[in-house]
Amino acid sequence: MNKERLFGIGEPLVQRERDQGIPAADYLDLVSGLGCRALRSWMHITEILKDPVTPDPAELARHKKLLKRAAELDIEVTGMSHEWFLPEGCIQRTGHAMPARDLTEGSLYMQALRMLEESWCTMASLFPEVAIWEVGNEWNLNAFLHPDGFLMTDMSRPFSPDEKYDIAVDMMYFSARGIRRGNPKALVASFSPALSTPALGGGMPDFFPVMYGAAWALDQVYQRIQSGRYWSENTDDYFDIVAWHPYIFTTREVADVDLFLDVEEPDTLWRDFNDACYRVMRKYGDGGKQAILTEAGFTDCGHPDWEARYGKYNQKIMRYAAEMPYVRTLHNFRLLNENAMLSRSGIEDNQIGGLTEVYFGLFTDPEDGCQPRARARAIQEMTGSTADLAAIGRRISQKLPSGR
C-alpha cells in the first residue's frame, strides 16, 4: 500500500478561526512543517449548511480557503461531521440526536435519514476537493448518538448499545448514498468507533481492555450489514474505508481514574487492538479495504515529564502504524493546545475532558506563540522534515488580532 499519506493531523481549524481570528489555512504550514500529508478537518453539516440544501456563504468561504491551501501543500483532506439536522416535530433541530428508530415511511426517523442523505449530497457537491468523508464520530458512545432531547431532558435513558448500532448502520447507508450522489469520486469512511465502557455506552463486556471497544463496535456493524435485515448486504454501500480511534488508555485498576492520564507505554497491545479491528474487516470479507486511524494522541495535562515521555510514545505508535499494511493514515489529535481559548471563554471546568482536553496539542496555543511541544519535535523526527517549526509558529501567532 502507498504510505505517502501515512501521517496526518486532526484539528477543527475553521472553528478555531472563528474563535481566535487567525485564518484556518495558515495553520496548515505547521501541518506541512511536521512532515504530515493528511488533515482530518471538522466540517460539521450544521455549521456549513443552513438546511440540507442551503450553504452558509461565510462558512463555505472559510472552508474553501482551507481546502485551497491544503491542495497547494499536497495535504489530503478527510472531512468529518458529527452534527446533523433533525426534522420539525423533534425536540431538537440539530445535534448528535436521532428520533426513535421507526422505518415507517414518513416517520420522524425516516425524515431524519432523508435529511441526512440530502445534507451529505450537498456537502459532497460543494467540496469536490475533499478526498474522504468520515460520516460520524464515536456513535458507539452515548455522547455522540443519543435520543432526541437526551441532553435536555432525561440523560438516564440513552439508546441501548443495540439501538445505537442499528441506527449507525442506517445513518451510514443514507450518508454514503448522499455522498455518492454529490461526488461519486469521493471515498466514504465509516463512523469512527472508540473505546467501550459501561458508563459511556459502548456495550462490550467490561472485562476486556477498553481499547478493544472499536473492534467490538465494528463487529456489531458488520453483523448487521450482512444479516440481510438492513438496506444492503454489501458493505461498499455503507463505506469504502474503515475508521476508528486507536487512543491509548491506562489499563491500571485505579478507582475513578481518567483513562487518558499517565498511560503506559504502547506495546503489542496497541498493535493488537488495531489488528483486532482489521481481523473484523477480514472476517466479513473486507480485508482489501484501507483503514484510517482517525484520532490518536496523548494529553500531558501540563506535566513536563509526561510531555517528554509521550513524545517517545508517539514515535512508537507511528512506527507500528508504518508496519500495518492496512493503515492508510494515522491522524494525530490534535495540532494545538486549547488552554488560552478555554481561559478566555471561562469554561475550562466544563470543557469535554476538562483539563485533559487542553493538552493534546502538538503546539502551544497562538496566545503562547504556536511553539512546538515535545510531541511535535518527535513527530518531525519521524517524518524527516527539517522545517523551522518555531519560526512558522511565531509567524502564525503574530496574526492573532489585537485584544485576543
Side-chain angles (χ1 to χ4, degrees):
M1 181 184 295
N2 188 338
K3 291 284 191 177
E4 67 172 335
R5 308 293 180 183
L6 180 58
F7 301 133
I9 300 293
E11 177 71 28
L13 290 173
V14 171
Q15 286 89 325
R16 188 174 283 271
E17 176 181 331
R18 280 193 238 105
D19 184 84
Q20 294 176 302
I22 297 174
D26 291 356
Y27 291 110
L28 292 182
D29 289 346
L30 289 176
V31 176
S32 181
L34 284 168
C36 295
R37 302 282 300 282
L39 173 74
R40 181 176 182 247
S41 184
W42 277 238
M43 300 180 70
H44 293 317
I45 285 170
T46 56
E47 294 176 357
I48 295 171
L49 305 182
K50 296 180 179 181
D51 58 54
V53 297
T54 308
D56 180 294
E59 286 300 296
L60 179 63
R62 288 190 183 101
H63 286 277
K64 282 288 188 180
K65 288 178 183 177
L66 178 68
L67 293 169
K68 182 175 184 288
R69 182 59 177 154
E72 291 170 353
L73 294 171
D74 190 25
I75 294 172
E76 180 180 81
V77 175
T78 293
M80 182 275 295
S81 173
H82 57 71
E83 296 269 348
W84 53 87
F85 294 109
L86 293 169
E88 187 174 347
C90 291
I91 298 170
Q92 300 173 228
R93 297 308 300 274
T94 64
H96 307 112
M98 284 291 283
R101 190 171 189 259
D102 176 0
L103 300 183
T104 305
E105 194 56 53
S107 68
L108 288 176
Y109 184 77
M110 288 304 302
Q111 289 181 54
L113 290 179
R114 303 290 182 197
M115 292 174 75
L116 186 66
E117 177 182 352
E118 201 61 44
S119 298
W120 276 117
C121 179
T122 304
M123 291 283 285
S125 63
L126 286 172
F127 300 108
E129 309 95 324
V130 173
I132 304 165
W133 289 106
E134 179 192 344
V135 299
N137 182 70
E138 298 185 0
W139 286 347
N140 58 321
L141 304 184
N142 297 336
F144 286 97
L145 183 57
H146 46 248
D148 176 31
F150 175 74
L151 297 179
M152 300 183 290
T153 55
D154 184 3
M155 292 181 64
S156 69
R157 301 189 64 178
F159 286 133
S160 71
D162 281 337
E163 288 173 322
K164 283 198 290 288
Y165 294 124
D166 287 344
I167 293 168
V169 170
D170 293 342
M171 291 178 71
M172 283 191 292
Y173 178 81
F174 280 85
S175 298
R177 197 160 74 170
I179 291 166
R180 300 205 196 290
R181 283 172 47 210
N183 179 13
K185 295 181 180 179
L187 297 172
V188 180
S190 69
F191 87 88
S192 291
L195 79 165
S196 177
T197 72
L200 294 173
M204 183 179 71
D206 58 12
F207 49 81
F208 290 114
V210 298
M211 297 85 85
Y212 284 94
W216 177 270
L218 291 174
D219 190 67
Q220 297 296 309
V221 164
Y222 273 107
Q223 283 183 38
R224 283 163 168 77
I225 291 173
Q226 296 198 354
S227 70
R229 296 183 289 107
Y230 292 78
W231 307 94
S232 167
E233 295 178 43
N234 185 352
T235 61
D236 294 349
D237 291 331
Y238 299 82
F239 45 79
D240 305 299
I241 293 173
V242 182
W244 63 84
H245 291 350
Y247 282 115
I248 297 171
F249 301 101
T250 185
T251 57
R252 298 184 182 96
E253 290 296 326
V254 181
D256 300 321
V257 69
D258 187 317
L259 292 169
F260 276 116
L261 299 186
D262 199 14
V263 299
E264 299 96 331
E265 183 174 355
D267 54 19
T268 53
L269 175 63
W270 188 83
R271 173 152 193 160
D272 190 66
F273 72 73
N274 284 287
D275 284 349
C277 293
Y278 184 61
R279 291 195 291 270
V280 171
M281 293 167 62
R282 283 205 329 242
K283 172 183 173 182
Y284 293 98
D286 264 357
K289 282 192 166 121
Q290 296 177 320
I292 298 178
L293 311 186
T294 33
E295 287 184 20
F298 300 86
T299 177
D300 54 78
C301 291
H303 297 293
D305 55 333
W306 289 13
E307 181 188 349
R309 187 196 321 159
Y310 291 164
K312 299 298 183 184
Y313 288 9
N314 225 128
Q315 288 183 331
K316 196 164 183 180
I317 65 171
M318 290 169 75
R319 290 190 193 99
Y320 275 127
E323 297 169 355
M324 296 173 176
Y326 54 87
V327 173
R328 178 189 183 101
T329 307
L330 168 70
H331 285 288
N332 283 280
F333 179 86
R334 56 190 295 181
L335 187 66
L336 299 153
N337 275 355
E338 286 212 49
N339 53 322
M341 181 189 299
L342 296 176
S343 175
R344 271 198 321 280
S345 304
I347 58 169
E348 182 165 338
D349 292 338
N350 295 322
Q351 174 72 2
I352 294 175
L355 192 64
T356 307
E357 189 81 3
V358 176
Y359 289 98
F360 275 102
L362 303 176
F363 293 85
T364 62
D365 192 280
E367 284 89 343
D368 296 327
C370 287
Q371 289 304 286
R373 305 182 73 227
R375 286 188 299 116
R377 297 293 190 194
I379 289 170
Q380 188 181 40
E381 183 179 314
M382 284 290 295
T383 65
S385 170
T386 58
D388 187 340
L389 298 178
I392 296 170
R394 285 193 297 270
R395 186 170 68 245
I396 293 171
S397 66
Q398 288 169 2
K399 297 183 180 183
L400 193 69
S402 59
R404 294 280 182 144

